[in-house]
Amino acid sequence: MLIASGLKIAVAALVAGPLAVGGVALLTPIAPPPLPHAVVTLAPGAFAYRLAGDFSTAGRPVAAPRRQLRQDRPLAIMTRQVTAAEYASCVEAGACPRIPQAVPTADRPVVGVSFRDALAYADWITRQTGVVHRLPTDAEWVFAAAEKASDEALPVVDAADPAKAWLARYETESARERPPIAPQPVGTFGANANGLVDLAGNVWEWTATCFERAELAPSGAVRPVTTNCGVRVVQGEHRTYMTDFIRDPRTGGCAAGVPPANLGFRLVVETALADRLRAALERTARRLLGPG
Amino acid sequence: MTRRSVLMGAAVAALLAAAPALAASPDLPRKTVDLVAPPFVHPHQQATREGPAIVAFKMVIEEKEVVIDEAGTKFRAMTFNGTMPGPMMVVHEGDYVELTLVNPDTNTMPHNIDFHAATGALGGGALTHVNPGEQVVLRFKATRTGAFVYHCAPEGMIPWHVVSGMSGTLMVLPRNGLKDRDGKPLRYDRIYYVGENDLYVPRDETGKYKTYESLAESYSDTTEVMRKLIPTHVVFNGKVGALTGANAMTAKVGETVMIVHSQANRDTRPHLIGGHGDYVWETGKFANPPEKNLETWFVRGGSAGAALYTFLQPGIYAYVNHNLIEAVELGATAHFKVEGTWNDDLMTQVSPPGPITPGKVGAAGTSVVK
């Protein structure tokens, strides 16, 4: 287990009607407002994190460095994934894109959502509750997923014989047990030490982290070379990268890989005033600049 | 007519009545071959010095519910020997194929078999009607070389039986083996048999695939989908992903692989991503010289094609129907896992992906001369 300090503040799941407009809630940071979903607040702590993206040293691919990070403020995150019924409410409200063939069920996670759909939902639920909701970063996801986060250092592609790594990756992917592809009732895949359910089940979760290509200096310093926010990190049984408008990961994958089963998401809730202000600014910036 | 000859005649008549199917056999050696499930093919010689033989096969028809994709979609299948496609049989030109076709009483439908390799009687279809609880034995001479489709063809329900899974392949090899255009012998180290099926699964009002208690109940809905000609699934070996992951086909660098591709109903266009067809009998018939160095080959609905390829580079290869919508969205994708040593001369990544450097081209970063 990565997180030793397990201070958790469970926020009761209260089904409440829409609160006042976002601005009002922004000014009442003390008591956590009622939310339509359960959230746990994780105390700050250290954790091990393998950086996302592709790394190279002197032009040769190398394994992504594993770092000791610190989550330096409390992280409030949904205990479960957003459900199909919740997403359907957002669609009904005209705020989320309608997704094909989703049967809205209260007890199952929404699947078949793209990164953009997830953002739309986060913005809508933020307006509904007056509390800022956003996707976690990849590091936050790993911090919250704790022992459920897999640190699978994939074999490095050696330019002299790239096929070795491809074959090794393929073997690893093929050996994975494949759970049933249909979304299962919330809680089916169990809870982790932090009380988050269904991590690493059959629904992968979007994160806000962009794909990055970086150079790793012998000193350990990382120098970003390319950042592509059209591709985001997706987390689950293993980490992968997905184009932001893809809803069905099976068709978003490449010809010869084994893709995730489903795409869904859970959200982080901003609790501190400063964080909320920052997130509000980010949202405004995003609205002005467009996604990605 | 003597009393003795009358008795003889009566005895013969009784024998005939007891076993009406016992026709005289050609005076040739007999071989019995056990079939194996696709994508594998039973052991066989590629060229033979032996004379023609009677080669006996047995297939048991099995109607059953199968799962055809990762979402668990259930499908009422009709199969030869329990697999989609049915197993591949291999004989040599001049051999007699002798098939015992069994329709157990656990089935609900009459069935038969039409061999595209056979001559007369609707490919054997008119002589092989078997009801549940019956079996039949058909013998025909393999007079033409090539990979040929066989399929079920009961009157009035032919397409439904075929797109429910009842097709397979018979390969008739030249007695002295395969040859290139110049008569040089061609051999393979491995053979794989990829049977492609287009499937038509009805949906309910919400778009969910429907399941049925029996074949009969599925018939009218399925026919309605079939008549629109757009399959819901296009699969290799009976299921989306049946030849991927742990079930991917394997080979080694330097090995020559024969890929026989059959499609009993609908056109398809096999393509090996990152590889080629070294020698391709696009129509599957070995009396015609193979074409060389193909990128994609066209297999007409109702036929089988054959391609030889020697793998030159290790890695994962996708073998697809290069209507890529059918490959990726509908399921027609298989994988090859190929072990061996990478050949830098054939391909190398000169410089890894990185920032765009204006005015520079090539490995040494040569400046573009204006």
Side-chain angles (χ1 to χ4, degrees), chain B residues 7-54:
Chain B
L7 281 176
M8 277 287 283
V12 169
L15 188 67
L16 283 174
L22 286 181
S25 293
D27 188 18
L28 291 174
R30 286 182 69 85
K31 285 194 267 190
T32 301
V33 172
D34 289 327
L35 293 167
V36 300
F40 303 106
V41 180
H42 66 78
H44 57 273
Q45 289 184 298
Q46 291 176 44
T48 178
R49 293 212 172 90
E50 295 166 15
I54 298 169

Side-chain angles (χ1 to χ4, degrees), chain B:
Chain B
M1 186 183 285
T2 64
R3 178 180 154 75
R4 186 182 159 80
S5 69
V6 168
L7 281 176
M8 277 287 283
V12 169
L15 188 67
L16 283 174
L22 286 181
S25 293
D27 188 18
L28 291 174
R30 286 182 69 85
K31 285 194 267 190
T32 301
V33 172
D34 289 327
L35 293 167
V36 300
F40 303 106
V41 180
H42 66 78
H44 57 273
Q45 289 184 298
Q46 291 176 44
T48 178
R49 293 212 172 90
E50 295 166 15
I54 298 169
V55 188
F57 302 94
K58 178 180 167 183
M59 290 204 296
V60 178
I61 296 161
E62 200 182 333
E63 299 167 1
K64 60 179 184 181
E65 190 176 65
V66 296
V67 171
I68 53 166
D69 59 26
E70 293 133 320
T73 302
K74 288 176 179 160
F75 178 70
R76 287 273 157 199
M78 298 185 249
T79 69
F80 287 111
N81 245 28
T83 60
M84 276 164 63
M88 180 157 143
M89 304 171 214
V90 182
V91 299
H92 289 89
E93 184 180 7
D95 285 345
Y96 290 78
V97 176
E98 189 179 283
L99 174 73
T100 302
L101 185 64
V102 182
N103 187 1
D105 61 9
T106 44
N107 288 340
T108 59
M109 294 274 153
H111 297 286
N112 69 346
I113 191 164
D114 165 1
F115 282 97
H116 287 188
T119 306
L122 307 176
L127 298 176
T128 51
H129 283 284
V130 273
N131 291 295
E134 294 179 336
Q135 73 169 42
V136 65
V137 183
L138 175 75
R139 186 173 62 234
F140 66 91
K141 192 172 184 177
T143 54
R144 291 154 207 269
T145 60
F148 293 87
V149 159
Y150 64 77
H151 62 89
C152 192
E155 280 84 356
M157 297 188 289
I158 300 172
W160 181 50
H161 279 239
V162 172
V163 301
S164 296
M166 293 193 86
S167 69
T169 300
L170 165 70
M171 184 164 77
V172 183
L173 288 167
R175 297 207 80 79
N176 56 0
L178 299 170
K179 297 280 187 335
D180 73 2
R181 181 178 291 276
D182 305 318
K184 191 179 117 269
L186 295 170
R187 290 186 57 80
Y188 43 88
D189 301 304
R190 293 172 192 248
I191 179 167
Y192 289 107
Y193 160 41
V194 178
E196 179 176 324
N197 284 88
D198 44 326
L199 306 174
Y200 303 82
V201 187
R203 300 174 196 260
D204 66 17
E205 316 73 50
T206 68
K208 261 183 73 179
Y209 289 119
K210 290 171 83 170
T211 53
Y212 297 91
E213 286 304 306
S214 68
L215 274 167
E217 284 166 80
S218 75
Y219 178 65
S220 64
D221 285 359
T222 305
T223 311
E224 204 178 306
V225 183
M226 285 160 51
R227 289 182 66 116
K228 297 195 174 84
L229 298 176
I230 299 173
T232 55
H233 299 71
V234 178
V235 299
F236 295 158
N237 216 39
K239 184 185 177 187
V240 176
L243 300 178
T244 65
N247 299 316
M249 297 177 282
T250 59
K252 294 190 175 72
V253 167
E255 280 185 337
T256 299
V257 177
M258 171 76 137
I259 308 166
V260 176
H261 194 116
S262 74
Q263 226 300 11
N265 193 62
R266 193 165 172 274
D267 300 341
T268 182
R269 38 196 65 67
H271 173 92
L272 180 64
I273 302 180
H276 300 93
D278 288 339
Y279 297 93
V280 180
W281 294 268
E282 193 175 58
T283 57
K285 306 306 171 279
F286 303 131
N288 306 296
E291 287 187 271
K292 290 181 72 172
N293 300 334
L294 297 197
E295 57 179 320
T296 298
W297 40 107
F298 185 72
V299 176
R300 296 140 184 82
S303 76
L308 280 181
Y309 182 59
T310 304
F311 281 95
L312 303 175
Q313 219 44 318
I316 305 294
Y317 291 74
Y319 176 83
V320 299
N321 170 345
H322 211 288
N323 178 324
L324 294 168
I325 302 161
E326 296 181 20
V328 178
E329 299 283 342
L330 302 188
T333 297
H335 292 156
F336 276 96
K337 281 190 297 188
V338 181
E339 308 265 357
T341 308
W342 182 260
N343 181 343
D344 248 347
D345 185 42
L346 282 172
M347 186 183 283
T348 193
Q349 187 181 49
V350 176
S351 86
I356 298 163
T357 324
K360 290 208 168 179
V361 170
T366 327
S367 294
V368 177
V369 180
K370 288 194 178 157

